Amino acid sequence: KGFYVTHCMRICRDVCLDGLRSFQTLAGAIKWDSELGLRFIPIISRKLIDFFKSPRSNLCRTACQTAGEFFLLAKSTKRPEFDEMVDILLCKCADPNRFIQKDANVALDKMTTCINVHHSVRAVCVKGSDHKNPIVRATAARLLTHICKQAGVEQIVGADANERTRKRVLSNLAKFLTDKNIETRRHAEKLCRMLKRHKFFMEYFFKDIDNNSKSALRKILN
């Protein structure tokens, strides 16, 4: 009986792996903005989320790789699936398996290059800056820096920038600058140097951050 169960589980895993690999091959031919494509996006997202949580490392890795292609091609930000996918991938960046770590990082890097800045900033900042794991916080800081670099400083703190996105970036930058983790602070300092080039940065920064941290942050910026 035990052998039969193990054998069935192995077959099920192999079928899932074949399905994910086939999907990667076919995804480029799908019209994701069509009615049919939009209908299946939430279903595909939920299956990927299930596979992320698989104890099978091969299945988890392939799901991460598939997610990267899914971000690039579908460019869907449909909630709550999109936010949940980003959140789990951030956690996978701290996985004990270094191959899963790498695949999760690559998937998130693809997300930052093809998803609208407002959605990518929100998804990364929802839980990334307050996560208990320092690797996850450092990854969130790195991704936020990459998103802002891709978008351009003007789109983050310019006069016509989205106010909600600007507040998210600057309030999370403040958290990252005072983080206990060296790697997190290093990415935050890089982002800070980039945003400081804008003439409105200091004005918006001290307007958007928490009052209790202004004194410490003023010293850091100086």
Coordinates of all heavy atoms in Angstrom, one line a residue, residues 6-75:
T6 N 3.3 6.1 -2.8 CA 4.5 6.7 -3.2 C 4.6 6.8 -4.7 O 5.0 7.9 -5.3 CB 5.8 6.0 -2.7 OG1 5.7 5.9 -1.2 CG2 7.0 6.8 -3.0
H7 N 4.2 5.7 -5.4 CA 4.3 5.7 -6.8 C 3.3 6.6 -7.5 O 3.6 7.4 -8.4 CB 3.9 4.2 -7.3 CG 4.0 4.0 -8.8 ND1 5.2 4.2 -9.5 CD2 3.0 3.7 -9.7 CE1 4.9 4.0 -10.8 NE2 3.6 3.7 -10.9
C8 N 2.1 6.7 -6.9 CA 1.1 7.7 -7.4 C 1.5 9.1 -7.2 O 1.3 10.0 -8.1 CB -0.3 7.4 -6.6 SG -1.1 5.9 -7.1
M9 N 2.2 9.4 -6.1 CA 2.6 10.7 -5.8 C 3.7 11.1 -6.8 O 3.8 12.3 -7.3 CB 3.2 10.8 -4.4 CG 2.1 10.8 -3.3 SD 2.8 10.8 -1.6 CE 3.5 12.4 -1.6
R10 N 4.6 10.2 -7.1 CA 5.7 10.4 -8.1 C 5.1 10.7 -9.5 O 5.5 11.6 -10.2 CB 6.6 9.2 -8.1 CG 7.9 9.5 -9.0 CD 8.8 8.3 -9.0 NE 9.4 8.1 -7.7 CZ 9.1 7.0 -7.0 NH1 8.3 6.0 -7.5 NH2 9.7 6.8 -5.8
I11 N 4.0 9.9 -9.8 CA 3.4 10.2 -11.1 C 2.7 11.5 -11.2 O 2.9 12.3 -12.2 CB 2.4 9.0 -11.4 CG1 3.1 7.7 -11.6 CG2 1.5 9.4 -12.6 CD1 2.1 6.5 -11.7
C12 N 2.1 11.9 -10.1 CA 1.4 13.2 -10.0 C 2.4 14.3 -10.1 O 2.2 15.3 -10.8 CB 0.6 13.3 -8.7 SG -0.3 14.8 -8.4
R13 N 3.6 14.2 -9.4 CA 4.6 15.2 -9.5 C 5.1 15.4 -10.9 O 5.3 16.5 -11.4 CB 5.7 14.9 -8.5 CG 6.9 15.9 -8.5 CD 8.1 15.3 -7.9 NE 8.6 14.1 -8.7 CZ 9.5 13.3 -8.3 NH1 10.1 13.4 -7.1 NH2 9.9 12.3 -9.1
D14 N 5.4 14.2 -11.6 CA 5.9 14.3 -13.0 C 4.9 14.9 -13.9 O 5.3 15.6 -14.8 CB 6.2 12.8 -13.4 CG 7.4 12.2 -12.7 OD1 8.2 13.0 -12.1 OD2 7.6 11.0 -12.7
V15 N 3.6 14.6 -13.7 CA 2.6 15.2 -14.6 C 2.6 16.7 -14.4 O 2.5 17.5 -15.3 CB 1.2 14.6 -14.2 CG1 0.1 15.4 -14.9 CG2 1.1 13.2 -14.6
C16 N 2.7 17.2 -13.1 CA 2.7 18.6 -12.8 C 3.9 19.3 -13.5 O 3.8 20.4 -14.0 CB 2.7 18.9 -11.3 SG 1.2 18.4 -10.5
L17 N 5.1 18.7 -13.4 CA 6.3 19.2 -14.0 C 6.2 19.3 -15.5 O 6.5 20.3 -16.1 CB 7.5 18.3 -13.6 CG 8.0 18.4 -12.2 CD1 9.1 17.4 -11.9 CD2 8.7 19.8 -12.0
D18 N 5.6 18.3 -16.1 CA 5.4 18.3 -17.6 C 4.5 19.4 -18.0 O 4.7 20.1 -19.0 CB 4.9 16.9 -18.0 CG 5.9 15.8 -18.0 OD1 7.1 16.2 -17.9 OD2 5.6 14.6 -18.0
G19 N 3.4 19.6 -17.1 CA 2.4 20.6 -17.4 C 3.1 22.0 -17.3 O 2.8 22.9 -18.2
L20 N 3.9 22.2 -16.3 CA 4.6 23.5 -16.2 C 5.5 23.8 -17.4 O 5.6 24.9 -17.9 CB 5.3 23.6 -14.9 CG 4.5 23.8 -13.6 CD1 5.3 23.5 -12.4 CD2 3.8 25.1 -13.6
R21 N 6.3 22.8 -17.7 CA 7.2 23.0 -18.8 C 6.5 23.2 -20.2 O 6.9 24.0 -21.0 CB 8.1 21.7 -18.9 CG 9.1 21.7 -17.8 CD 9.8 20.3 -17.6 NE 10.7 20.3 -16.5 CZ 11.0 19.1 -15.8 NH1 10.5 18.0 -16.2 NH2 11.8 19.2 -14.8
S22 N 5.4 22.5 -20.4 CA 4.6 22.7 -21.6 C 4.0 24.1 -21.6 O 3.9 24.8 -22.6 CB 3.4 21.7 -21.6 OG 3.9 20.4 -21.7
F23 N 3.6 24.6 -20.4 CA 3.0 25.9 -20.3 C 4.0 27.0 -20.7 O 3.7 27.9 -21.4 CB 2.5 26.2 -18.9 CG 2.0 27.6 -18.7 CD1 0.8 28.0 -19.2 CD2 2.8 28.5 -18.0 CE1 0.3 29.3 -19.0 CE2 2.3 29.8 -17.8 CZ 1.1 30.2 -18.3
Q24 N 5.3 26.8 -20.2 CA 6.4 27.7 -20.6 C 6.6 27.8 -22.1 O 6.8 28.8 -22.7 CB 7.6 27.3 -19.9 CG 7.7 27.5 -18.4 CD 9.0 27.2 -17.8 OE1 10.1 27.6 -18.3 NE2 9.0 26.5 -16.7
T25 N 6.4 26.6 -22.7 CA 6.6 26.6 -24.2 C 5.5 27.2 -24.9 O 5.7 27.9 -25.9 CB 6.7 25.1 -24.7 OG1 7.8 24.4 -23.9 CG2 7.0 25.0 -26.1
L26 N 4.2 27.1 -24.4 CA 3.1 27.6 -25.1 C 2.7 29.0 -24.8 O 1.9 29.6 -25.5 CB 1.9 26.6 -24.8 CG 2.0 25.2 -25.3 CD1 0.8 24.4 -24.7 CD2 1.9 25.1 -26.8
A27 N 3.2 29.5 -23.6 CA 2.7 30.8 -23.1 C 2.9 31.9 -24.1 O 2.1 32.9 -24.1 CB 3.4 31.1 -21.8
G28 N 4.0 31.9 -24.9 CA 4.3 33.0 -25.8 C 3.3 33.1 -26.9 O 3.1 34.1 -27.5
A29 N 2.5 32.0 -27.2 CA 1.5 32.0 -28.3 C 0.1 32.4 -27.8 O -0.8 32.6 -28.6 CB 1.5 30.6 -28.9
I30 N 0.0 32.6 -26.5 CA -1.3 32.9 -25.9 C -1.6 34.4 -26.0 O -0.7 35.2 -25.7 CB -1.5 32.4 -24.5 CG1 -1.3 30.9 -24.4 CG2 -2.8 32.9 -23.8 CD1 -1.2 30.3 -23.0
K31 N -2.8 34.8 -26.4 CA -3.2 36.2 -26.4 C -3.7 36.6 -25.0 O -4.9 36.4 -24.7 CB -4.2 36.5 -27.5 CG -3.7 36.4 -28.9 CD -4.7 36.7 -29.9 CE -4.1 36.6 -31.3 NZ -5.2 36.9 -32.4
W32 N -2.9 37.1 -24.1 CA -3.2 37.2 -22.7 C -4.2 38.4 -22.5 O -4.9 38.4 -21.5 CB -2.0 37.5 -21.9 CG -1.1 36.3 -21.8 CD1 0.1 36.1 -22.5 CD2 -1.3 35.1 -21.1 NE1 0.6 34.9 -22.2 CE2 -0.2 34.2 -21.3 CE3 -2.3 34.7 -20.2 CZ2 -0.1 33.0 -20.7 CZ3 -2.2 33.4 -19.6 CH2 -1.2 32.6 -19.9
D33 N -4.3 39.3 -23.5 CA -5.3 40.4 -23.3 C -6.7 40.0 -23.9 O -7.6 40.9 -23.9 CB -4.8 41.7 -23.9 CG -4.4 41.5 -25.4 OD1 -4.4 40.4 -25.9 OD2 -4.1 42.5 -26.0
S34 N -6.8 38.8 -24.4 CA -8.1 38.4 -24.9 C -9.0 38.0 -23.8 O -8.6 37.8 -22.7 CB -7.9 37.2 -25.9 OG -7.5 36.1 -25.2
E35 N -10.3 37.8 -24.1 CA -11.3 37.4 -23.1 C -10.9 36.1 -22.5 O -11.0 35.9 -21.3 CB -12.7 37.3 -23.7 CG -13.8 37.0 -22.7 CD -15.2 37.0 -23.4 OE1 -15.3 37.4 -24.5 OE2 -16.1 36.5 -22.7
L36 N -10.5 35.1 -23.3 CA -10.1 33.8 -22.8 C -8.9 33.8 -22.0 O -8.8 33.2 -20.9 CB -9.9 32.9 -24.0 CG -9.7 31.4 -23.7 CD1 -10.9 30.8 -23.0 CD2 -9.4 30.6 -25.0
G37 N -7.9 34.6 -22.4 CA -6.7 34.8 -21.7 C -6.9 35.4 -20.3 O -6.4 34.9 -19.3
L38 N -7.7 36.4 -20.2 CA -8.0 37.1 -19.0 C -8.7 36.2 -18.0 O -8.6 36.3 -16.8 CB -8.8 38.4 -19.2 CG -8.0 39.5 -20.0 CD1 -9.0 40.6 -20.4 CD2 -6.9 40.1 -19.1
R39 N -9.6 35.3 -18.6 CA -10.4 34.4 -17.7 C -9.5 33.4 -17.0 O -9.7 33.0 -15.9 CB -11.4 33.7 -18.6 CG -12.4 32.9 -17.8 CD -13.3 32.0 -18.7 NE -13.9 32.8 -19.8 CZ -14.5 32.3 -20.9 NH1 -14.5 30.9 -21.0 NH2 -15.0 33.0 -21.8
F40 N -8.4 33.0 -17.7 CA -7.6 31.9 -17.2 C -6.4 32.4 -16.3 O -5.8 31.6 -15.6 CB -7.0 31.0 -18.3 CG -8.0 30.0 -18.8 CD1 -8.7 30.2 -19.9 CD2 -8.1 28.8 -18.0 CE1 -9.6 29.2 -20.4 CE2 -9.0 27.9 -18.5 CZ -9.8 28.1 -19.6
I41 N -6.1 33.7 -16.3 CA -5.0 34.3 -15.5 C -5.2 34.0 -14.0 O -4.2 33.5 -13.4 CB -4.9 35.8 -15.8 CG1 -4.1 36.0 -17.1 CG2 -4.1 36.5 -14.7 CD1 -4.1 37.5 -17.6
P42 N -6.3 34.2 -13.4 CA -6.4 33.9 -12.0 C -6.3 32.4 -11.7 O -5.7 32.0 -10.6 CB -7.9 34.3 -11.6 CG -8.2 35.3 -12.7 CD -7.6 34.8 -13.9
I43 N -6.7 31.5 -12.6 CA -6.6 30.1 -12.4 C -5.2 29.7 -12.4 O -4.7 28.9 -11.6 CB -7.4 29.3 -13.5 CG1 -8.9 29.7 -13.4 CG2 -7.2 27.8 -13.3 CD1 -9.8 29.2 -14.5
I44 N -4.4 30.2 -13.4 CA -3.0 29.9 -13.6 C -2.2 30.4 -12.3 O -1.4 29.7 -11.8 CB -2.4 30.5 -14.9 CG1 -3.1 29.8 -16.1 CG2 -0.9 30.3 -14.9 CD1 -2.9 30.5 -17.4
S45 N -2.6 31.6 -11.9 CA -1.9 32.2 -10.8 C -2.1 31.3 -9.5 O -1.1 31.1 -8.7 CB -2.4 33.6 -10.5 OG -2.2 34.4 -11.6
R46 N -3.3 30.9 -9.3 CA -3.6 30.1 -8.1 C -2.9 28.7 -8.1 O -2.4 28.2 -7.1 CB -5.1 29.8 -8.0 CG -5.9 31.1 -7.7 CD -6.4 31.2 -6.3 NE -5.5 31.0 -5.3 CZ -5.0 31.9 -4.5 NH1 -5.4 33.2 -4.6 NH2 -4.2 31.6 -3.5
K47 N -2.7 28.1 -9.3 CA -2.0 26.9 -9.4 C -0.5 27.1 -9.2 O 0.1 26.3 -8.5 CB -2.2 26.3 -10.8 CG -3.6 25.7 -11.1 CD -4.0 24.7 -10.1 CE -3.2 23.4 -10.0 NZ -3.7 22.5 -9.0
L48 N 0.0 28.2 -9.7 CA 1.4 28.5 -9.4 C 1.7 28.7 -7.9 O 2.7 28.2 -7.3 CB 1.9 29.8 -10.2 CG 2.1 29.6 -11.7 CD1 2.3 30.9 -12.3 CD2 3.2 28.6 -12.0
I49 N 0.7 29.4 -7.2 CA 0.8 29.6 -5.8 C 0.9 28.3 -5.1 O 1.6 28.1 -4.1 CB -0.3 30.5 -5.3 CG1 -0.1 31.9 -5.8 CG2 -0.4 30.4 -3.8 CD1 -1.3 32.8 -5.6
D50 N 0.0 27.3 -5.5 CA 0.0 26.0 -4.9 C 1.3 25.3 -5.1 O 1.9 24.6 -4.2 CB -1.1 25.1 -5.5 CG -2.5 25.6 -5.1 OD1 -2.6 26.3 -4.1 OD2 -3.5 25.3 -5.8
F51 N 1.9 25.4 -6.3 CA 3.2 24.7 -6.6 C 4.3 25.4 -5.8 O 5.3 24.7 -5.5 CB 3.5 24.8 -8.1 CG 2.5 23.9 -8.9 CD1 2.1 24.3 -10.2 CD2 2.1 22.7 -8.4 CE1 1.3 23.5 -11.0 CE2 1.2 21.9 -9.2 CZ 0.8 22.3 -10.4
F52 N 4.3 26.7 -5.6 CA 5.3 27.4 -4.8 C 5.4 26.7 -3.4 O 6.5 26.6 -2.8 CB 5.0 28.8 -4.5 CG 5.1 29.7 -5.8 CD1 4.4 30.9 -5.8 CD2 5.9 29.4 -6.8 CE1 4.4 31.7 -6.9 CE2 6.0 30.2 -7.9 CZ 5.2 31.4 -8.0
K53 N 4.3 26.3 -2.9 CA 4.2 25.7 -1.5 C 4.6 24.2 -1.5 O 4.5 23.6 -0.4 CB 2.8 25.9 -1.0 CG 2.4 27.4 -0.8 CD 1.0 27.6 -0.4 CE 0.6 29.0 -0.3 NZ -0.8 29.2 0.0
S54 N 4.8 23.6 -2.7 CA 5.1 22.2 -2.7 C 6.4 21.9 -2.0 O 7.4 22.6 -2.1 CB 5.3 21.7 -4.2 OG 5.7 20.4 -4.2
P55 N 6.4 20.7 -1.2 CA 7.7 20.3 -0.5 C 8.7 19.7 -1.5 O 9.8 19.5 -1.2 CB 7.2 19.2 0.4 CG 5.9 18.7 -0.2 CD 5.3 19.9 -0.9
R56 N 8.2 19.5 -2.8 CA 9.1 18.9 -3.8 C 9.9 20.1 -4.4 O 9.4 21.0 -5.0 CB 8.3 18.2 -4.9 CG 7.4 17.1 -4.4 CD 8.2 15.9 -4.0 NE 7.3 14.8 -3.6 CZ 7.7 13.6 -3.3 NH1 9.0 13.3 -3.3 NH2 6.9 12.7 -2.8
S57 N 11.2 20.0 -4.2 CA 12.1 21.1 -4.7 C 12.0 21.3 -6.2 O 12.0 22.5 -6.7 CB 13.5 20.9 -4.2 OG 14.0 19.7 -4.7
N58 N 12.0 20.2 -7.0 CA 11.9 20.3 -8.4 C 10.6 21.1 -8.9 O 10.7 21.9 -9.8 CB 12.0 19.0 -9.1 CG 13.4 18.4 -9.2 OD1 14.3 19.2 -8.9 ND2 13.5 17.2 -9.5
L59 N 9.5 20.7 -8.2 CA 8.3 21.3 -8.6 C 8.2 22.8 -8.2 O 7.8 23.6 -9.0 CB 7.1 20.6 -7.9 CG 5.7 20.9 -8.3 CD1 5.5 20.8 -9.8 CD2 4.7 20.0 -7.6
C60 N 8.8 23.1 -7.0 CA 8.8 24.5 -6.6 C 9.7 25.3 -7.5 O 9.4 26.4 -7.9 CB 9.4 24.5 -5.1 SG 9.4 26.2 -4.5
R61 N 10.9 24.8 -7.9 CA 11.8 25.5 -8.8 C 11.2 25.8 -10.1 O 11.3 26.9 -10.7 CB 13.1 24.7 -9.0 CG 14.0 24.7 -7.8 CD 15.4 24.1 -8.2 NE 16.0 25.0 -9.3 CZ 17.0 24.7 -10.0 NH1 17.6 23.5 -9.9 NH2 17.5 25.5 -10.9
T62 N 10.5 24.8 -10.7 CA 9.9 24.9 -12.0 C 8.8 25.9 -11.9 O 8.6 26.7 -12.9 CB 9.4 23.6 -12.5 OG1 10.4 22.6 -12.5 CG2 8.9 23.7 -13.9
A63 N 8.0 25.9 -10.8 CA 7.0 26.9 -10.6 C 7.5 28.3 -10.6 O 7.0 29.3 -11.2 CB 6.2 26.6 -9.4
C64 N 8.7 28.5 -9.9 CA 9.3 29.8 -9.9 C 9.7 30.3 -11.3 O 9.6 31.5 -11.6 CB 10.5 29.8 -8.9 SG 10.1 29.6 -7.2
Q65 N 10.3 29.4 -12.0 CA 10.8 29.7 -13.4 C 9.6 30.0 -14.3 O 9.6 31.0 -15.1 CB 11.5 28.5 -13.9 CG 12.8 28.2 -13.2 CD 13.4 26.8 -13.5 OE1 12.8 26.1 -14.3 NE2 14.4 26.4 -12.8
T66 N 8.5 29.3 -14.1 CA 7.3 29.5 -14.9 C 6.7 30.9 -14.5 O 6.2 31.6 -15.4 CB 6.2 28.4 -14.6 OG1 6.8 27.2 -14.9 CG2 5.0 28.6 -15.5
A67 N 6.7 31.2 -13.2 CA 6.2 32.5 -12.8 C 6.9 33.7 -13.4 O 6.3 34.7 -13.8 CB 6.3 32.6 -11.2
G68 N 8.2 33.6 -13.6 CA 9.0 34.6 -14.2 C 8.5 34.9 -15.7 O 8.3 36.0 -16.1
E69 N 8.3 33.8 -16.4 CA 7.8 33.9 -17.8 C 6.3 34.4 -17.8 O 5.9 35.2 -18.7 CB 7.8 32.5 -18.5 CG 9.2 32.0 -18.7 CD 10.1 33.0 -19.5 OE1 9.7 33.4 -20.6 OE2 11.2 33.3 -19.0
F70 N 5.6 34.0 -16.8 CA 4.2 34.4 -16.7 C 4.1 35.9 -16.5 O 3.3 36.6 -17.1 CB 3.5 33.7 -15.5 CG 2.0 33.9 -15.4 CD1 1.2 33.7 -16.4 CD2 1.5 34.4 -14.2 CE1 -0.2 33.9 -16.3 CE2 0.2 34.6 -14.0 CZ -0.7 34.4 -15.1
F71 N 5.0 36.5 -15.6 CA 5.0 37.9 -15.4 C 5.4 38.6 -16.7 O 4.7 39.7 -17.0 CB 6.1 38.3 -14.3 CG 5.7 37.9 -12.9 CD1 6.7 37.3 -12.1 CD2 4.5 38.2 -12.4 CE1 6.3 37.0 -10.8 CE2 4.1 37.9 -11.1 CZ 5.1 37.3 -10.3
L72 N 6.4 38.1 -17.4 CA 6.8 38.8 -18.6 C 5.7 38.8 -19.7 O 5.6 39.8 -20.4 CB 8.1 38.0 -19.2 CG 9.4 38.4 -18.5 CD1 10.5 37.5 -19.1 CD2 9.8 39.8 -18.8
L73 N 5.0 37.7 -19.9 CA 4.1 37.6 -21.0 C 2.7 38.1 -20.7 O 2.1 38.8 -21.4 CB 4.0 36.1 -21.4 CG 5.4 35.5 -22.0 CD1 5.3 34.0 -22.1 CD2 5.7 36.2 -23.3
A74 N 2.1 37.6 -19.5 CA 0.8 38.0 -19.2 C 0.7 39.4 -18.6 O -0.3 40.1 -18.8 CB 0.2 37.0 -18.2
K75 N 1.7 39.9 -17.9 CA 1.8 41.2 -17.3 C 0.5 41.5 -16.5 O 0.1 42.6 -16.5 CB 1.9 42.3 -18.4 CG 3.3 42.2 -19.2 CD 3.4 43.3 -20.2 CE 4.8 43.4 -20.8 NZ 5.2 42.2 -21.5

